[in-house]
Structure formats: C-alpha cells, structure tokens
Amino acid sequence: MHSRPFVFILLCLLAMVAAGLFGALHNQISFSVGSSYFYDVKFPQFGIHPELPARIGAAQVGWMASWWMGLAMGHPAFVIGLMRSPNGPAFLDHGLRAMGVAIAATTLGAFLGLSYGAIGNINSLVGLLPNPDAFANPEGFVRAALMHEGSYIGGAFGGMLAAIVMWRRTRA
C-alpha cells in the first residue's frame, strides 16, 4: 500500500493539475464572454505570442494563472489528512473528496461571477475602469473579470471547505 507521505505528494500534484486544467477550461468560457479581457490585458501580461491561436492562448493563460491555486487550496487540507488519516488509501479517498468539494466551490464562484456579469449593471462597473476607452470591449472585459474574480473567491472558499471536509472525514 502507499504510504501517507507518498499520497500527500500525489494529492498535491493532482490538485495542481486539476487547478491548471480548470483554469484552461474556465478561460475558454471567459474568452467567449469577454475576449477583450485577454487581448487587452492577459495576453500581454502572460507574454502570449500574438500569432498563437487565441483559444490556445486563453488556455495557456488559464493554466499559468491557476495551477498554483491547486497547491494553495489543497495544501492545508492535505496536511490535515497527512496528520490524521489512518493510512494511505483512506488519505487518498479523503483527499480526492476534498478536491471535489474545492472544485465545486470554485465552479460555483465562477458561475456566480458570470451570472452577475450577465444580469448586473455592467455600465456602472465599466465606469469604475481607470480608462474604459483603452479596452476594445469594456463590457465584455468587466464580465470576464467578474467571472475570474468569482473563481478566485470560490477557490478560497473551496480551500477552506476542503480543509473542513478533511478534518471531519479523518476524525479519530
């Protein structure tokens, strides 16, 4: 059987891959909502070459902006599991469940941000941009930004929920 330290490392790696893939997929949706967010800010920020197909560039930005969140969100829960799980297989099971909860919370946050962008008063938010004329599509930019912010808020909440799930599932 796998030892708990091995499972800890495996879970950290899985969380990083899951978060990176989440970011890549997430950015396919947010690119559809507001490509200006990418063309005007994210592609230059992440050094995405202008000749790279936009969808691939958006996925690359999503990966680079998100993979580390898997470790940041999962690490506290995985440390709890490392200390409290009776064995490696139980730790792996609890860790995968905790990751599922974190991904669900992050997805919910993205959906809420996207929903607010769709039904909220976008014009008032566009007015808060320092220079709205600098963006090809300020409304789309704000909608995509709201989805991204919702994801990070959901991810932070998901990390806390993952730690709670791990604590409860590994009770003595």
Side-chain angles (χ1 to χ4, degrees):
M1 287 291 154
H2 299 301
S3 68
R4 287 180 301 153
F6 173 81
V7 171
F8 176 81
I9 293 168
L10 177 64
L11 286 171
C12 288
L13 292 172
L14 287 173
M16 289 186 288
V17 169
L21 292 174
F22 180 93
L25 178 60
H26 171 283
N27 278 9
Q28 297 307 300
I29 298 167
S30 61
F31 184 85
S32 296
V33 170
S35 60
S36 175
Y37 183 77
F38 294 91
Y39 286 117
D40 297 336
V41 176
K42 291 301 176 183
F43 289 166
Q45 178 185 8
F46 283 89
I48 303 299
H49 194 278
E51 293 181 16
L52 187 68
R55 293 285 181 173
I56 293 173
Q60 192 174 354
V61 167
W63 176 271
M64 290 189 294
S66 301
W67 69 266
W68 60 273
M69 282 294 290
L71 185 59
M73 288 170 44
H75 190 263
F78 301 151
V79 168
I80 291 168
L82 180 64
M83 304 305 248
R84 293 174 47 104
S85 289
N87 56 49
F91 182 18
L92 181 61
D93 178 59
H94 302 324
L96 293 174
R97 290 174 191 266
M99 280 179 30
V101 167
I103 291 168
T106 306
T107 302
L108 179 61
F111 176 75
L112 291 174
L114 181 61
S115 296
Y116 182 72
I119 62 174
N121 184 355
I122 292 300
N123 291 329
S124 67
L125 295 174
V126 168
L128 297 174
L129 293 173
N131 184 7
D133 295 333
F135 303 102
N137 177 357
E139 293 84 7
F141 177 92
V142 168
R143 285 187 177 103
L146 286 169
M147 183 178 176
H148 283 255
E149 291 305 314
S151 295
Y152 281 111
I153 293 168
F157 186 63
M160 290 185 279
L161 287 176
I164 292 168
V165 165
M166 186 65 80
W167 183 266
R168 288 188 175 173
R169 293 199 56 86
T170 58
R171 263 191 215 163

